């Protein structure tokens, strides 16, 4: 096991440690490093989050739309293009952080209609779960109707999509839109990456994945990992927990 530790300190910048030495990363290298590459790779001490507050601070958004996409895939050689096969979105109130509504649909892929064994093993989605489902173009039309019904697109309503990582809206969704000949809406070109939000607040630790954030927040996971709807529910738990600790969320991911 590698015993080298790279971590960051809000005030002193990142250092590299091993059993034999401790030295600061050169200043010129530090300046060139992307902000969120200045992060811990290994933790030697338990991560301690700020205590919970009596009142959740006012957020910048009326609603958070928590999204977790699952797509076709294979290993060791992946398929291209990858198509969305599960599209869940939770409407989370920006004051109470309660889930008020859920949009959830499985999606029938069209370019590679047969799911691989690897994909089914990873996501838990089997062929029978997508065969009779609508193609993404119809699913997305239904999703837009759902947004209208939930008054998310009403003038004056501030909302933000929330993901656990950038690829959902930076890669998978735009790729699917290209396959389905759909224009990417402007309101889906920026989002909140909850891992980045987690890292931007005390104790300034980069969580490796959703499971790590659940562990740091002392939350119990719901459902199965890589189930889109279950992951979305767990992300919603995390943002509520962080808000209760004083976190104020803002956009931190975007695609031109």
């Amino acid at each position: 096991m590698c015993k080298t530790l790279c971590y960051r300190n809000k005030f002193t910048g990142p250092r590299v440690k091993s059993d034999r030495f401790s030295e600061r990363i050169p200043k010129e290298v530090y300046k060139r490093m992307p902000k969120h590459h200045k992060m811990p790779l290994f933790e030697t001490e338990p991560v301690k989050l700020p205590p919970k507050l009596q009142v959740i601070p006012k957020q910048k958004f009326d609603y958070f739309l928590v999204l977790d996409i699952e797509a076709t895939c294979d290993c060791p050689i992946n398929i291209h293009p990858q198509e969305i096969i599960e599209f869940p979105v939770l409407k989370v109130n920006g004051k109470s952080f309660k889930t008020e509504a859920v949009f959830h649909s499985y999606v029938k892929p069209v370019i590679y209609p047969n799911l691989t064994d690897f994909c089914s093993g990873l996501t838990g989605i089997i062929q029978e779960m997508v065969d009779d489902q609508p193609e993404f173009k119809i699913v997305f039309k239904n999703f837009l109707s759902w947004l209208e019904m939930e008054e998310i697109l009403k003038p004056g309503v501030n909302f933000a999509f929330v993901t656990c990582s950038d690829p959902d809206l930076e890669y998978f969704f735009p790729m699917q839109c290209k396959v389905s000949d759909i224009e990417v809406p402007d309101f889906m070109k920026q989002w909140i990456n909850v891992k980045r939000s987690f890292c931007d607040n005390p104790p300034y630790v980069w969580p490796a994945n959703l499971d790590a954030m659940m562990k740091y927040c002392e939350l119990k996971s719901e459902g199965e990992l890589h189930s889109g709807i279950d992951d979305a529910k767990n992300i919603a738990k995390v943002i509520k927990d962080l808000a209760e600790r004083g976190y104020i969320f803002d956009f931190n991911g975007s695609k031109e």
Side-chain angles (χ1 to χ4, degrees):
M1 177 181 294
C2 175
K3 293 184 179 180
T4 300
L5 168 66
C6 177
Y7 72 98
R8 76 174 189 173
N9 177 288
K10 182 182 179 184
F11 304 102
T12 64
R15 294 176 182 267
V16 175
K17 277 189 176 181
S18 74
D19 293 340
R20 296 166 300 182
F21 65 92
S22 175
E23 61 181 3
R24 183 184 295 274
I25 293 176
K27 187 175 182 180
E28 61 274 13
V29 175
Y30 177 77
K31 286 183 176 180
R32 293 199 302 269
M33 291 173 66
K35 179 179 179 182
H36 291 90
H37 286 187
K38 305 161 191 170
M39 61 186 72
L41 300 181
F42 302 98
E43 292 299 329
T44 57
E45 297 180 0
V47 174
K48 186 176 181 180
L49 300 182
K52 292 190 177 183
L53 307 177
Q54 291 185 347
V55 179
I56 294 177
K58 180 176 175 59
Q59 300 291 321
K60 298 181 178 182
F61 303 101
D62 300 311
Y63 295 100
F64 297 99
L65 299 181
V66 181
L67 168 72
D68 191 84
I69 287 171
E70 299 300 328
T72 54
C73 55
D74 201 2
C75 185
I77 300 176
N78 207 352
I79 59 178
H80 182 83
Q82 292 178 259
E83 299 174 82
I84 294 175
I85 54 175
E86 185 180 9
F87 192 76
V89 180
L90 309 185
K91 176 189 175 186
V92 177
N93 187 291
K95 293 181 179 179
S96 67
F97 281 83
K98 292 183 179 179
T99 298
E100 294 186 350
V102 177
F103 179 89
H104 181 222
S105 179
Y106 291 103
V107 186
K108 182 178 181 179
V110 295
I111 296 180
Y112 296 101
N114 295 320
L115 303 183
T116 64
D117 291 341
F118 174 81
C119 182
S120 293
L122 179 69
T123 65
I125 300 172
I126 60 176
Q127 192 66 46
E128 289 78 5
M129 294 170 67
V130 298
D131 279 344
D132 295 328
Q133 298 301 313
E135 297 176 6
F136 186 76
K137 198 162 192 173
I138 297 174
V139 170
F140 191 64
K141 181 179 179 181
N142 294 339
F143 174 63
L144 293 178
S145 297
W146 179 80
L147 290 177
E148 292 283 357
M149 181 180 68
E150 293 296 328
E151 299 187 339
I152 294 294
L153 303 180
K154 187 177 179 180
V157 176
N158 294 319
F159 65 94
F161 282 87
V162 180
T163 69
C164 188
S165 59
D166 291 328
D168 291 82
L169 290 175
E170 186 176 48
Y171 177 74
F172 291 111
F173 180 71
M175 178 181 291
Q176 182 65 64
C177 286
K178 185 176 182 180
V179 169
S180 301
D181 194 25
I182 297 171
E183 184 176 351
V184 178
D186 288 341
F187 58 76
M188 297 187 76
K189 293 180 179 179
Q190 56 182 345
W191 58 87
I192 296 169
N193 178 341
V194 69
K195 288 198 294 186
R196 195 171 286 132
S197 300
F198 191 102
C199 183
D200 278 341
N201 290 274
Y204 308 101
V205 169
W206 179 264
N209 48 40
L210 179 56
D211 277 352
M213 285 190 289
M214 298 290 286
K215 177 182 176 182
Y216 295 152
C217 295
E218 299 181 343
L219 297 170
K220 184 177 180 181
S221 295
E222 179 176 342
E224 298 294 331
L225 183 65
H226 294 304
S227 159
I229 187 63
D230 290 342
D231 284 352
K233 290 177 181 178
N234 287 327
I235 295 169
K237 288 183 179 182
V238 169
I239 63 171
K240 179 182 180 181
D241 185 272
L242 296 180
E244 290 173 343
R245 299 178 191 273
Y247 288 28
I248 298 177
F249 295 95
D250 201 357
F251 290 120
N252 54 28
S254 64
K255 182 175 178 63
E256 298 298 329

